[in-house]
Amino acid sequence: MTQPDFAALVSRWFQQHARDLPWRHADVTPWAILVSEVMLQQTPVVRVVPAWHAWLARWPEPAALAADTPAEAIRMWGRLGYPRRAVRLRECAVAIVERHGGQVPDRLDQLLALPGVGTYTARAVAAFAYGQRHPVVDTNVRRVVCRAVAGEPDAGPVTRPADLVATEELLPAEPAAAALASAAFMELGAVICTARSPRCPACPVESICAWRASGQEQPAGPTRRPQRYAGTDRQVRGLLLAVLREATGPVPHQRLDQVWTDDVQRARALAGLVQDGLVEPVDADSFRLVGDGPPLPTTPIVT
């Protein structure tokens, strides 16, 4: 298999079969692409699409979000999960306004310096918003490259530097073609070369796939065990946040006590929300979403 063959085959397939996702449209802004990449982390596409449209309708540019409160970002995030992403995205908008005049930067080092933007997100924005040549490596891409190139059935749970190198070697030299290939690799892993039920007969690189040629079978079980949700601190945090999102002022501790019967777990979940910068105590007996109201005093009030 040659590198141009692999990228060309997958890119051609992508141009014919790619899902019509709104952030892939030609008229979307770099900000809209950045928002989509943050929302898509650990969240299915079907849940992200309506949230993405609502978010951009309210905050079409970084400056609009930067001018709003963290509490409103948390409210708009709704039940997408991992709500710290909402706060980090607002922090990112503030940094874009302060450092880059309200425009999402196009340099990889500047993207990496933004709050909450890591290796994957920075490269994804550089490639998909600005057509640059960077290896964009998520779980789907790692699986495709591991199977098709290395001949292994699974890439494992963690992205390694070697994954970036292996993916970059497959990219065409021309930046626009490389950006297209990056999107194509990701799509192939998401809809064809899936973890548990790959549709190999429909794959554009089946004939040159090292894994297929090796005759190896799939692993018997998932590499990463699915996370339990029911009864966990994550569930309790979500219940607490739901009450706080719907409130128009401070929420009494007594009201929060009603969402979960286990006092120790509820207290631990609430303390975690405070530590993560999502919730703040107003006084000894009430809480609110961070920044949801006038600034709190930084020193004790003497009467």
Side-chain angles (χ1 to χ4, degrees):
M1 173 178 57
T2 65
Q3 296 165 3
D5 285 344
F6 185 87
L9 287 170
V10 180
S11 296
R12 191 177 305 121
W13 166 86
F14 178 76
Q15 290 174 312
Q16 297 174 354
H17 301 286
R19 292 168 294 175
D20 182 19
L21 302 178
W23 43 84
R24 288 176 175 168
H25 295 179
D27 59 346
V28 297
T29 64
W31 169 242
I33 290 174
L34 173 57
V35 172
S36 75
E37 291 298 339
V38 173
M39 287 187 168
L40 285 165
Q41 296 167 13
Q42 299 179 288
T43 307
V45 167
V46 67
R47 294 181 59 201
V48 168
V49 170
W52 180 84
H53 280 298
W55 188 279
L56 290 170
R58 180 166 181 175
W59 300 305
E61 298 176 350
L65 177 57
D68 217 329
T69 65
E72 287 306 302
I74 296 169
R75 283 196 173 94
M76 281 294 292
W77 198 258
R79 294 186 177 274
L80 279 182
Y82 303 99
R84 287 185 66 186
R85 291 181 292 171
V87 176
R88 297 296 276 171
L89 189 52
R90 183 188 171 275
E91 292 172 352
C92 185
V94 171
I96 289 171
V97 171
E98 293 177 348
R99 304 174 194 172
H100 307 289
Q103 302 300 312
V104 177
D106 59 359
R107 282 173 36 190
L108 184 60
D109 61 332
Q110 293 176 337
L111 287 165
L112 286 167
L114 294 174
V117 174
T119 297
Y120 164 79
T121 303
R123 285 169 169 77
V125 172
F128 304 147
Y130 294 111
Q132 296 177 12
R133 186 183 187 275
H134 296 288
V136 183
V137 180
D138 68 352
T139 300
N140 291 318
V141 173
R142 287 193 297 110
R143 185 170 55 253
V144 166
V145 175
C146 184
R147 286 176 176 173
V149 178
E152 299 295 331
D154 200 290
V158 180
T159 299
R160 303 161 300 173
D163 296 318
L164 292 171
V165 174
T167 303
E168 185 169 16
E169 289 177 349
L170 295 171
L171 296 178
E174 200 276 317
L180 175 65
S182 290
F185 297 167
M186 193 173 301
E187 184 79 346
L188 187 67
V191 302
I192 299 292
C193 192
T194 58
R196 297 277 66 83
S197 303
R199 299 192 291 125
C200 295
C203 180
V205 292
E206 181 191 20
S207 63
I208 56 174
C209 175
W211 177 47
R212 291 287 282 175
S214 72
Q216 294 184 65
E217 297 183 358
Q218 288 179 234
T223 299
R224 183 180 301 175
R225 182 175 300 175
Q227 293 183 346
R228 181 174 62 91
Y229 180 73
T232 64
D233 285 5
R234 277 190 60 210
Q235 182 184 16
V236 183
R237 285 164 60 102
L239 293 171
L240 292 168
L241 273 181
V243 173
L244 291 159
R245 280 199 306 268
E246 295 168 4
T248 56
V251 177
H253 214 309
Q254 184 178 9
R255 172 68 184 89
L256 296 175
D257 289 346
Q258 298 173 14
V259 307
W260 199 254
T261 58
D262 186 327
D263 294 343
V264 174
Q265 187 177 24
R266 186 183 62 250
R268 183 172 64 241
L270 182 58
L273 291 172
V274 173
Q275 184 176 3
D276 288 347
L278 298 169
V279 173
E280 59 188 7
V282 179
D283 51 42
D285 297 313
S286 61
F287 294 81
R288 69 185 187 187
L289 294 179
V290 63
D292 194 19
L296 297 173
T298 56
T299 56
I301 299 175
V302 179
T303 59

mmCIF file of all heavy atoms in Angstrom, residues 127-168:
data_model
loop_
_atom_site.group_PDB
_atom_site.id
_atom_site.type_symbol
_atom_site.label_atom_id
_atom_site.label_comp_id
_atom_site.label_asym_id
_atom_site.label_seq_id
_atom_site.Cartn_x
_atom_site.Cartn_y
_atom_site.Cartn_z
ATOM 1 N N ALA A 127 -7.016 22.180 10.552
ATOM 2 C CA ALA A 127 -7.276 21.436 9.316
ATOM 3 C C ALA A 127 -8.638 21.779 8.725
ATOM 4 O O ALA A 127 -8.746 22.123 7.542
ATOM 5 C CB ALA A 127 -7.188 19.936 9.587
ATOM 6 N N PHE A 128 -9.692 21.701 9.534
ATOM 7 C CA PHE A 128 -11.047 21.810 9.006
ATOM 8 C C PHE A 128 -11.510 23.248 8.813
ATOM 9 O O PHE A 128 -12.351 23.519 7.959
ATOM 10 C CB PHE A 128 -12.021 21.064 9.917
ATOM 11 C CG PHE A 128 -11.651 19.613 10.137
ATOM 12 C CD1 PHE A 128 -11.918 18.986 11.338
ATOM 13 C CD2 PHE A 128 -11.012 18.887 9.136
ATOM 14 C CE1 PHE A 128 -11.569 17.654 11.542
ATOM 15 C CE2 PHE A 128 -10.653 17.560 9.330
ATOM 16 C CZ PHE A 128 -10.933 16.938 10.528
ATOM 17 N N ALA A 129 -10.957 24.188 9.579
ATOM 18 C CA ALA A 129 -11.338 25.589 9.414
ATOM 19 C C ALA A 129 -10.410 26.325 8.457
ATOM 20 O O ALA A 129 -10.834 27.230 7.747
ATOM 21 C CB ALA A 129 -11.339 26.296 10.771
ATOM 22 N N TYR A 130 -9.121 25.909 8.436
ATOM 23 C CA TYR A 130 -8.137 26.659 7.653
ATOM 24 C C TYR A 130 -7.442 25.829 6.581
ATOM 25 O O TYR A 130 -6.537 26.329 5.915
ATOM 26 C CB TYR A 130 -7.103 27.277 8.595
ATOM 27 C CG TYR A 130 -7.700 28.331 9.505
ATOM 28 C CD1 TYR A 130 -7.817 28.116 10.882
ATOM 29 C CD2 TYR A 130 -8.169 29.536 8.993
ATOM 30 C CE1 TYR A 130 -8.371 29.080 11.722
ATOM 31 C CE2 TYR A 130 -8.730 30.500 9.824
ATOM 32 C CZ TYR A 130 -8.827 30.265 11.181
ATOM 33 O OH TYR A 130 -9.380 31.219 11.997
ATOM 34 N N GLY A 131 -7.845 24.580 6.413
ATOM 35 C CA GLY A 131 -7.310 23.761 5.328
ATOM 36 C C GLY A 131 -5.829 23.468 5.437
ATOM 37 O O GLY A 131 -5.139 23.355 4.417
ATOM 38 N N GLN A 132 -5.316 23.313 6.648
ATOM 39 C CA GLN A 132 -3.892 23.070 6.837
ATOM 40 C C GLN A 132 -3.597 21.576 6.928
ATOM 41 O O GLN A 132 -4.489 20.757 7.138
ATOM 42 C CB GLN A 132 -3.417 23.781 8.105
ATOM 43 C CG GLN A 132 -3.542 25.295 8.034
ATOM 44 C CD GLN A 132 -3.137 25.977 9.328
ATOM 45 O OE1 GLN A 132 -2.560 25.350 10.223
ATOM 46 N NE2 GLN A 132 -3.422 27.260 9.441
ATOM 47 N N ARG A 133 -2.325 21.250 6.785
ATOM 48 C CA ARG A 133 -1.888 19.854 6.829
ATOM 49 C C ARG A 133 -1.407 19.504 8.236
ATOM 50 O O ARG A 133 -0.298 19.849 8.634
ATOM 51 C CB ARG A 133 -0.761 19.608 5.819
ATOM 52 C CG ARG A 133 -0.339 18.133 5.711
ATOM 53 C CD ARG A 133 0.838 17.976 4.748
ATOM 54 N NE ARG A 133 1.141 16.566 4.511
ATOM 55 C CZ ARG A 133 1.921 15.824 5.296
ATOM 56 N NH1 ARG A 133 2.464 16.363 6.382
ATOM 57 N NH2 ARG A 133 2.148 14.548 4.997
ATOM 58 N N HIS A 134 -2.268 18.837 8.982
ATOM 59 C CA HIS A 134 -1.923 18.370 10.322
ATOM 60 C C HIS A 134 -2.577 17.003 10.539
ATOM 61 O O HIS A 134 -3.700 16.773 10.071
ATOM 62 C CB HIS A 134 -2.432 19.338 11.401
ATOM 63 C CG HIS A 134 -1.823 20.689 11.357
ATOM 64 N ND1 HIS A 134 -0.525 20.929 11.741
ATOM 65 C CD2 HIS A 134 -2.343 21.890 10.973
ATOM 66 C CE1 HIS A 134 -0.257 22.225 11.612
ATOM 67 N NE2 HIS A 134 -1.342 22.829 11.143
ATOM 68 N N PRO A 135 -1.925 16.099 11.246
ATOM 69 C CA PRO A 135 -2.587 14.843 11.593
ATOM 70 C C PRO A 135 -3.660 15.089 12.652
ATOM 71 O O PRO A 135 -3.350 15.569 13.750
ATOM 72 C CB PRO A 135 -1.447 13.978 12.139
ATOM 73 C CG PRO A 135 -0.440 14.957 12.649
ATOM 74 C CD PRO A 135 -0.536 16.163 11.766
ATOM 75 N N VAL A 136 -4.899 14.803 12.315
ATOM 76 C CA VAL A 136 -6.022 14.983 13.231
ATOM 77 C C VAL A 136 -6.407 13.591 13.720
ATOM 78 O O VAL A 136 -6.998 12.804 12.977
ATOM 79 C CB VAL A 136 -7.204 15.669 12.539
ATOM 80 C CG1 VAL A 136 -8.338 15.911 13.537
ATOM 81 C CG2 VAL A 136 -6.760 16.983 11.903
ATOM 82 N N VAL A 137 -6.055 13.279 14.955
ATOM 83 C CA VAL A 137 -6.132 11.893 15.422
ATOM 84 C C VAL A 137 -7.088 11.776 16.604
ATOM 85 O O VAL A 137 -6.802 12.251 17.706
ATOM 86 C CB VAL A 137 -4.740 11.366 15.830
ATOM 87 C CG1 VAL A 137 -4.829 9.926 16.301
ATOM 88 C CG2 VAL A 137 -3.774 11.482 14.659
ATOM 89 N N ASP A 138 -8.245 11.156 16.357
ATOM 90 C CA ASP A 138 -9.147 10.785 17.441
ATOM 91 C C ASP A 138 -9.219 9.262 17.510
ATOM 92 O O ASP A 138 -8.447 8.559 16.834
ATOM 93 C CB ASP A 138 -10.535 11.407 17.244
ATOM 94 C CG ASP A 138 -11.284 10.830 16.050
ATOM 95 O OD1 ASP A 138 -10.697 10.043 15.267
ATOM 96 O OD2 ASP A 138 -12.477 11.151 15.893
ATOM 97 N N THR A 139 -10.123 8.729 18.308
ATOM 98 C CA THR A 139 -10.236 7.278 18.465
ATOM 99 C C THR A 139 -10.524 6.594 17.136
ATOM 100 O O THR A 139 -9.963 5.528 16.840
ATOM 101 C CB THR A 139 -11.357 6.952 19.478
ATOM 102 O OG1 THR A 139 -11.033 7.543 20.733
ATOM 103 C CG2 THR A 139 -11.509 5.453 19.649
ATOM 104 N N ASN A 140 -11.383 7.193 16.324
ATOM 105 C CA ASN A 140 -11.733 6.594 15.041
ATOM 106 C C ASN A 140 -10.542 6.539 14.094
ATOM 107 O O ASN A 140 -10.309 5.528 13.426
ATOM 108 C CB ASN A 140 -12.884 7.380 14.397
ATOM 109 C CG ASN A 140 -14.194 7.220 15.147
ATOM 110 O OD1 ASN A 140 -14.550 6.135 15.586
ATOM 111 N ND2 ASN A 140 -14.916 8.317 15.302
ATOM 112 N N VAL A 141 -9.797 7.618 14.039
ATOM 113 C CA VAL A 141 -8.635 7.666 13.144
ATOM 114 C C VAL A 141 -7.573 6.673 13.597
ATOM 115 O O VAL A 141 -6.980 5.957 12.774
ATOM 116 C CB VAL A 141 -8.064 9.093 13.070
ATOM 117 C CG1 VAL A 141 -6.766 9.108 12.270
ATOM 118 C CG2 VAL A 141 -9.078 10.046 12.441
ATOM 119 N N ARG A 142 -7.326 6.611 14.885
ATOM 120 C CA ARG A 142 -6.329 5.657 15.390
ATOM 121 C C ARG A 142 -6.704 4.230 15.014
ATOM 122 O O ARG A 142 -5.845 3.426 14.645
ATOM 123 C CB ARG A 142 -6.203 5.779 16.912
ATOM 124 C CG ARG A 142 -5.477 7.036 17.350
ATOM 125 C CD ARG A 142 -5.083 6.991 18.808
ATOM 126 N NE ARG A 142 -6.244 6.921 19.700
ATOM 127 C CZ ARG A 142 -6.580 5.853 20.409
ATOM 128 N NH1 ARG A 142 -5.861 4.749 20.334
ATOM 129 N NH2 ARG A 142 -7.632 5.877 21.202
ATOM 130 N N ARG A 143 -7.991 3.908 15.104
ATOM 131 C CA ARG A 143 -8.434 2.554 14.771
ATOM 132 C C ARG A 143 -8.237 2.257 13.288
ATOM 133 O O ARG A 143 -7.768 1.186 12.904
ATOM 134 C CB ARG A 143 -9.898 2.379 15.162
ATOM 135 C CG ARG A 143 -10.421 0.962 14.970
ATOM 136 C CD ARG A 143 -11.780 0.777 15.602
ATOM 137 N NE ARG A 143 -12.765 1.731 15.134
ATOM 138 C CZ ARG A 143 -13.243 2.754 15.838
ATOM 139 N NH1 ARG A 143 -12.822 2.971 17.071
ATOM 140 N NH2 ARG A 143 -14.142 3.573 15.313
ATOM 141 N N VAL A 144 -8.588 3.211 12.427
ATOM 142 C CA VAL A 144 -8.423 3.024 10.983
ATOM 143 C C VAL A 144 -6.958 2.791 10.633
ATOM 144 O O VAL A 144 -6.605 1.855 9.906
ATOM 145 C CB VAL A 144 -8.979 4.244 10.212
ATOM 146 C CG1 VAL A 144 -8.515 4.218 8.759
ATOM 147 C CG2 VAL A 144 -10.499 4.265 10.278
ATOM 148 N N VAL A 145 -6.079 3.648 11.144
ATOM 149 C CA VAL A 145 -4.663 3.548 10.810
ATOM 150 C C VAL A 145 -4.062 2.274 11.392
ATOM 151 O O VAL A 145 -3.255 1.594 10.738
ATOM 152 C CB VAL A 145 -3.908 4.804 11.310
ATOM 153 C CG1 VAL A 145 -2.409 4.662 11.079
ATOM 154 C CG2 VAL A 145 -4.434 6.053 10.597
ATOM 155 N N CYS A 146 -4.446 1.934 12.609
ATOM 156 C CA CYS A 146 -3.915 0.728 13.239
ATOM 157 C C CYS A 146 -4.291 -0.516 12.445
ATOM 158 O O CYS A 146 -3.454 -1.404 12.223
ATOM 159 C CB CYS A 146 -4.435 0.631 14.667
ATOM 160 S SG CYS A 146 -3.763 -0.761 15.594
ATOM 161 N N ARG A 147 -5.523 -0.579 12.004
ATOM 162 C CA ARG A 147 -5.958 -1.755 11.259
ATOM 163 C C ARG A 147 -5.383 -1.764 9.836
ATOM 164 O O ARG A 147 -4.806 -2.765 9.403
ATOM 165 C CB ARG A 147 -7.494 -1.783 11.199
ATOM 166 C CG ARG A 147 -8.156 -2.174 12.506
ATOM 167 C CD ARG A 147 -9.673 -2.085 12.416
ATOM 168 N NE ARG A 147 -10.308 -2.564 13.651
ATOM 169 C CZ ARG A 147 -11.607 -2.479 13.909
ATOM 170 N NH1 ARG A 147 -12.414 -1.922 13.011
ATOM 171 N NH2 ARG A 147 -12.106 -2.940 15.049
ATOM 172 N N ALA A 148 -5.573 -0.673 9.130
ATOM 173 C CA ALA A 148 -5.228 -0.673 7.708
ATOM 174 C C ALA A 148 -3.721 -0.688 7.469
ATOM 175 O O ALA A 148 -3.247 -1.305 6.508
ATOM 176 C CB ALA A 148 -5.837 0.548 7.026
ATOM 177 N N VAL A 149 -2.966 -0.031 8.355
ATOM 178 C CA VAL A 149 -1.526 0.102 8.135
ATOM 179 C C VAL A 149 -0.737 -0.896 8.979
ATOM 180 O O VAL A 149 0.127 -1.620 8.473
ATOM 181 C CB VAL A 149 -1.064 1.543 8.433
ATOM 182 C CG1 VAL A 149 0.449 1.660 8.245
ATOM 183 C CG2 VAL A 149 -1.795 2.533 7.543
ATOM 184 N N ALA A 150 -1.024 -0.939 10.280
ATOM 185 C CA ALA A 150 -0.248 -1.800 11.186
ATOM 186 C C ALA A 150 -0.753 -3.228 11.216
ATOM 187 O O ALA A 150 -0.049 -4.122 11.692
ATOM 188 C CB ALA A 150 -0.251 -1.206 12.590
ATOM 189 N N GLY A 151 -1.982 -3.456 10.750
ATOM 190 C CA GLY A 151 -2.520 -4.809 10.733
ATOM 191 C C GLY A 151 -2.982 -5.320 12.073
ATOM 192 O O GLY A 151 -3.147 -6.525 12.269
ATOM 193 N N GLU A 152 -3.208 -4.407 13.025
ATOM 194 C CA GLU A 152 -3.681 -4.784 14.354
ATOM 195 C C GLU A 152 -5.179 -4.527 14.470
ATOM 196 O O GLU A 152 -5.709 -3.580 13.883
ATOM 197 C CB GLU A 152 -2.934 -3.986 15.425
ATOM 198 C CG GLU A 152 -1.430 -4.225 15.441
ATOM 199 C CD GLU A 152 -1.078 -5.659 15.816
ATOM 200 O OE1 GLU A 152 -1.874 -6.285 16.563
ATOM 201 O OE2 GLU A 152 -0.024 -6.157 15.375
ATOM 202 N N PRO A 153 -5.900 -5.333 15.259
ATOM 203 C CA PRO A 153 -7.354 -5.181 15.323
ATOM 204 C C PRO A 153 -7.824 -3.982 16.126
ATOM 205 O O PRO A 153 -8.942 -3.517 15.946
ATOM 206 C CB PRO A 153 -7.817 -6.489 15.990
ATOM 207 C CG PRO A 153 -6.642 -6.948 16.778
ATOM 208 C CD PRO A 153 -5.436 -6.533 15.996
ATOM 209 N N ASP A 154 -6.986 -3.463 17.025
ATOM 210 C CA ASP A 154 -7.431 -2.366 17.878
ATOM 211 C C ASP A 154 -6.241 -1.503 18.254
ATOM 212 O O ASP A 154 -5.140 -2.009 18.474
ATOM 213 C CB ASP A 154 -8.108 -2.908 19.142
ATOM 214 C CG ASP A 154 -8.992 -1.875 19.815
ATOM 215 O OD1 ASP A 154 -8.440 -0.915 20.370
ATOM 216 O OD2 ASP A 154 -10.223 -2.031 19.789
ATOM 217 N N ALA A 155 -6.488 -0.185 18.370
ATOM 218 C CA ALA A 155 -5.393 0.748 18.635
ATOM 219 C C ALA A 155 -5.166 0.996 20.110
ATOM 220 O O ALA A 155 -4.198 1.659 20.482
ATOM 221 C CB ALA A 155 -5.684 2.084 17.944
ATOM 222 N N GLY A 156 -6.024 0.495 20.976
ATOM 223 C CA GLY A 156 -5.877 0.759 22.395
ATOM 224 C C GLY A 156 -6.545 2.053 22.795
ATOM 225 O O GLY A 156 -7.006 2.832 21.957
ATOM 226 N N PRO A 157 -6.614 2.337 24.094
ATOM 227 C CA PRO A 157 -7.426 3.450 24.587
ATOM 228 C C PRO A 157 -6.761 4.822 24.590
ATOM 229 O O PRO A 157 -7.439 5.819 24.796
ATOM 230 C CB PRO A 157 -7.745 3.011 26.023
ATOM 231 C CG PRO A 157 -6.562 2.197 26.426
ATOM 232 C CD PRO A 157 -6.102 1.485 25.183
ATOM 233 N N VAL A 158 -5.462 4.910 24.387
ATOM 234 C CA VAL A 158 -4.756 6.174 24.575
ATOM 235 C C VAL A 158 -4.019 6.580 23.301
ATOM 236 O O VAL A 158 -3.362 5.753 22.664
ATOM 237 C CB VAL A 158 -3.747 6.067 25.747
ATOM 238 C CG1 VAL A 158 -3.015 7.384 25.940
ATOM 239 C CG2 VAL A 158 -4.466 5.656 27.031
ATOM 240 N N THR A 159 -4.129 7.852 22.930
ATOM 241 C CA THR A 159 -3.383 8.376 21.791
ATOM 242 C C THR A 159 -1.920 8.570 22.166
ATOM 243 O O THR A 159 -1.604 9.168 23.196
ATOM 244 C CB THR A 159 -3.962 9.725 21.332
ATOM 245 O OG1 THR A 159 -5.323 9.539 20.923
ATOM 246 C CG2 THR A 159 -3.176 10.287 20.151
ATOM 247 N N ARG A 160 -1.026 8.049 21.321
ATOM 248 C CA ARG A 160 0.409 8.153 21.565
ATOM 249 C C ARG A 160 1.062 9.011 20.482
ATOM 250 O O ARG A 160 0.490 9.192 19.404
ATOM 251 C CB ARG A 160 1.032 6.763 21.550
ATOM 252 C CG ARG A 160 0.421 5.779 22.548
ATOM 253 C CD ARG A 160 0.748 4.359 22.156
ATOM 254 N NE ARG A 160 0.225 4.042 20.822
ATOM 255 C CZ ARG A 160 0.479 2.912 20.168
ATOM 256 N NH1 ARG A 160 1.282 2.011 20.693
ATOM 257 N NH2 ARG A 160 -0.040 2.714 18.974
ATOM 258 N N PRO A 161 2.260 9.540 20.742
ATOM 259 C CA PRO A 161 2.945 10.306 19.698
ATOM 260 C C PRO A 161 3.104 9.519 18.402
ATOM 261 O O PRO A 161 3.053 10.093 17.315
ATOM 262 C CB PRO A 161 4.307 10.619 20.342
ATOM 263 C CG PRO A 161 4.035 10.627 21.804
ATOM 264 C CD PRO A 161 2.990 9.580 22.033
ATOM 265 N N ALA A 162 3.278 8.201 18.520
ATOM 266 C CA ALA A 162 3.434 7.375 17.321
ATOM 267 C C ALA A 162 2.184 7.407 16.457
ATOM 268 O O ALA A 162 2.267 7.256 15.227
ATOM 269 C CB ALA A 162 3.759 5.931 17.714
ATOM 270 N N ASP A 163 1.017 7.610 17.065
ATOM 271 C CA ASP A 163 -0.221 7.689 16.284
ATOM 272 C C ASP A 163 -0.230 8.930 15.395
ATOM 273 O O ASP A 163 -0.692 8.890 14.250
ATOM 274 C CB ASP A 163 -1.430 7.719 17.220
ATOM 275 C CG ASP A 163 -1.570 6.445 18.027
ATOM 276 O OD1 ASP A 163 -1.380 5.356 17.458
ATOM 277 O OD2 ASP A 163 -1.875 6.538 19.232
ATOM 278 N N LEU A 164 0.272 10.041 15.924
ATOM 279 C CA LEU A 164 0.362 11.262 15.124
ATOM 280 C C LEU A 164 1.316 11.061 13.950
ATOM 281 O O LEU A 164 1.034 11.480 12.819
ATOM 282 C CB LEU A 164 0.829 12.430 15.990
ATOM 283 C CG LEU A 164 -0.141 12.928 17.065
ATOM 284 C CD1 LEU A 164 0.551 13.937 17.977
ATOM 285 C CD2 LEU A 164 -1.372 13.551 16.435
ATOM 286 N N VAL A 165 2.440 10.426 14.211
ATOM 287 C CA VAL A 165 3.428 10.188 13.150
ATOM 288 C C VAL A 165 2.851 9.279 12.074
ATOM 289 O O VAL A 165 2.960 9.562 10.871
ATOM 290 C CB VAL A 165 4.709 9.570 13.740
ATOM 291 C CG1 VAL A 165 5.675 9.181 12.629
ATOM 292 C CG2 VAL A 165 5.375 10.547 14.707
ATOM 293 N N ALA A 166 2.224 8.177 12.486
ATOM 294 C CA ALA A 166 1.671 7.222 11.515
ATOM 295 C C ALA A 166 0.585 7.856 10.664
ATOM 296 O O ALA A 166 0.486 7.587 9.462
ATOM 297 C CB ALA A 166 1.124 6.000 12.254
ATOM 298 N N THR A 167 -0.242 8.708 11.276
ATOM 299 C CA THR A 167 -1.315 9.358 10.524
ATOM 300 C C THR A 167 -0.765 10.412 9.573
ATOM 301 O O THR A 167 -1.201 10.520 8.419
ATOM 302 C CB THR A 167 -2.327 9.991 11.492
ATOM 303 O OG1 THR A 167 -2.837 8.986 12.377
ATOM 304 C CG2 THR A 167 -3.487 10.614 10.734
ATOM 305 N N GLU A 168 0.211 11.174 10.044
ATOM 306 C CA GLU A 168 0.781 12.216 9.188
ATOM 307 C C GLU A 168 1.444 11.616 7.947
ATOM 308 O O GLU A 168 1.408 12.213 6.859
ATOM 309 C CB GLU A 168 1.795 13.053 9.964
ATOM 310 C CG GLU A 168 2.329 14.227 9.170
ATOM 311 C CD GLU A 168 3.130 15.195 10.015
ATOM 312 O OE1 GLU A 168 3.529 14.816 11.125
ATOM 313 O OE2 GLU A 168 3.364 16.322 9.549
#
